[in-house]
Amino acid sequence: MNSPHFSTKERILGAAEELFARHGFAGASLRELTATAKVNLAAVNYHFGSKDNLVNEVFRRRLDELSAHRLDALQQVLAKPQPTLEDILSAFIHPALLLSLDKSGGATFVRVLARAYAEHNERLRKFLSENYGHVLKEFAAAFSIQLPHLDKEELYWRIDIIAGALTYAMADFGVIKRRAAMSEKIHRERAAEHLIRFAAAGLRAD
Amino acid sequence: MNSPHFSTKERILGAAEELFARHGFAGASLRELTATAKVNLAAVNYHFGSKDNLVNEVFRRRLDELSAHRLDALQQVLAKPQPTLEDILSAFIHPALLLSLDKSGGATFVRVLARAYAEHNERLRKFLSENYGHVLKEFAAAFSIQLPHLDKEELYWRIDIIAGALTYAMADFGVIKRRAAMSEKIHRERAAEHLIRFAAAGLRAD
DNA sequence: ATATTATTCAAACGATCGTTTGGTTTCCCG
DNA sequence: CGGGAAACCAAACGATCGTTTGAATAATAT
């Protein structure tokens, strides 16, 4: 990720993704980050303005595409005659599954996503809400039709918890490396199916 | 938690639990912590030696009891003629559910537990592994009998991920407060059942 | 080739962190 | 009551953090 044929900005983004996944946002220092990226310490502030904004850009680089995939999948699901809760959840999870299987940092980014859920950083939540809140809003609306017995507050609470647990479960925080990439893909796909069923049960509960 | 009839050590532990849950271990500063506990800044180092050791003691205060409950429940399950995977998972989750329903900080501590999973702090992991690793080891042995097709490495990996997701899902990180305590208890119990089924499916997958 | 802009760099700044110090107060037992 | 241990407190220490500075270098355009 710090190969010389990447630009300074790209090397910083790559190192940031890696170190944010490993140490969290506050835990990753700009000194270790810039050393990993093989750039000068001041390069982060020069190219991104601040560490906070670097965090934003790490998310933007991946979330624009992930959100688009999720909304596409949701639109296809809602076009069906009788969409199920599992269909909607699949539209939410499957794009993240694809991202986690991506070879160039996608899996690392899913771990960063899980960090974002765990660290209840107010500033970051505001950024994500302002830029990608409409995605969760559309999914919440789709869920709401399937779950008329839940009021808005209760639904949002459940989506928040479930989305966090789903993301965490997909994030693969374990220390042990898996053996074969092929077996990993199969495992993740099956895990995603189980996650969908678990989340559907959690949403359907009275 | 900072009532004057609590001792200084207890006030510090209570404030630490609260602030660790809200801001994480690195994110909670001793200055805010001691201000919340209404004690002097130096009191933490006087009574606990260091911030790291304070983190340890926050866990020890709750985990001794939680681990004992889990091992008791596991022993009862293994005494049955045909224990199922769900039985073993229930022995792991149910004590945590009881803790999360505890009125005096138990729910807050479950959020701290979820933090511990998300922050991959090496020092903290070592402390937890040394002091409570035998609990996970006994559960892993019980799982292993039910899941002979999984080798040790794969089993530990799955337990790590699943335990993290379970803990996170139980941690109730959502901002929205629930309305009635009674409805919360019912909701959590049902959520625990769903979690058990989800985790069992994840463990049983090839 | 020269002027202008963009980028990189070593060094320092101010703020905040956990921790330590030395003195004061409080408590308790002989 | 008196004396020694325990507890508390304000203040300072050293380290590390994100950020800024101003000069040196590289790249680009006229």
Side-chain angles (χ1 to χ4, degrees), chain B residues 23-38:
Chain B
H23 304 132
F25 305 106
S29 77
L30 290 186
R31 283 167 175 81
E32 181 182 3
L33 199 158
T34 51
T36 301
K38 292 190 169 65

Side-chain angles (χ1 to χ4, degrees), chain A residues 167-188:
Chain A
T167 306
Y168 187 89
M170 298 204 56
D172 224 17
F173 265 120
V175 207
I176 303 162
K177 273 195 286 288
R178 304 194 49 74
R179 286 169 304 269
M182 197 52 199
S183 123
E184 178 181 358
K185 186 184 178 196
I186 292 173
H187 181 278
R188 291 186 103 95

